[in-house]
């Protein structure tokens, strides 16, 4: 499998499967949707098993893991929420 990247000048660049790109997959969610995270990450892994990007999950306070994916959890402050 190869990764196809559409450049801004509409040229397509073909990269080898394990090419390390300077990119991160950011998943924004909230704690109350924790019941669908298993399904989301299962489908992500099933349909994109060789995804070369780091995964970051942003939630309010949830610490989430899904094997075999390496997911970094972050919890940004809820600035402006009580304004």
């Amino acid at each position: 499998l190869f990764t196809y990247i559409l450049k801004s000048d509409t040229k397509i660049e073909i990269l080898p499967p394990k090419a390390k790109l300077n990119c991160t997959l950011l998943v924004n969610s909230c704690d109350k949707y924790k019941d669908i995270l298993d399904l989301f990450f299962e489908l992500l892994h099933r349909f994109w098993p060789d995804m070369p990007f780091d995964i970051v999950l942003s939630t309010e306070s949830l610490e989430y893991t899904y094997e075999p994916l390496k997911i970094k959890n972050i919890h940004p402050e809820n600035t402006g929420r009580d304004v």
Side-chain angles (χ1 to χ4, degrees):
L1 294 176
F2 285 88
T3 302
Y4 296 89
I5 301 201
L6 184 60
K7 298 287 189 169
S8 60
D9 59 359
T10 67
K11 293 181 182 176
I12 295 178
E13 180 180 337
I14 301 173
L15 300 172
K18 296 296 181 181
K20 186 64 177 175
L21 303 176
N22 189 15
C23 188
T24 299
L25 175 65
L26 174 62
V27 180
N28 286 308
S29 187
C30 62
D31 290 355
K32 69 180 180 179
Y33 293 135
K34 65 182 178 184
D35 56 334
I36 64 170
L37 289 176
D38 283 339
L39 178 61
F40 174 80
F41 286 110
E42 177 185 338
L43 293 173
L44 176 68
H45 182 62
R46 182 185 306 165
F47 292 106
W48 198 2
D50 59 345
M51 186 193 68
F53 310 128
D54 294 331
I55 301 172
V56 175
L57 175 63
S58 174
T59 62
E60 297 152 326
S61 62
L62 184 66
E63 289 295 322
Y64 180 81
T65 59
Y66 184 85
E67 294 296 330
L69 301 176
K70 293 181 182 178
I71 301 170
K72 179 180 178 183
N73 292 274
I74 60 170
H75 314 292
E77 293 184 29
N78 295 321
T79 57
R81 187 168 144 163
D82 298 328
V83 175

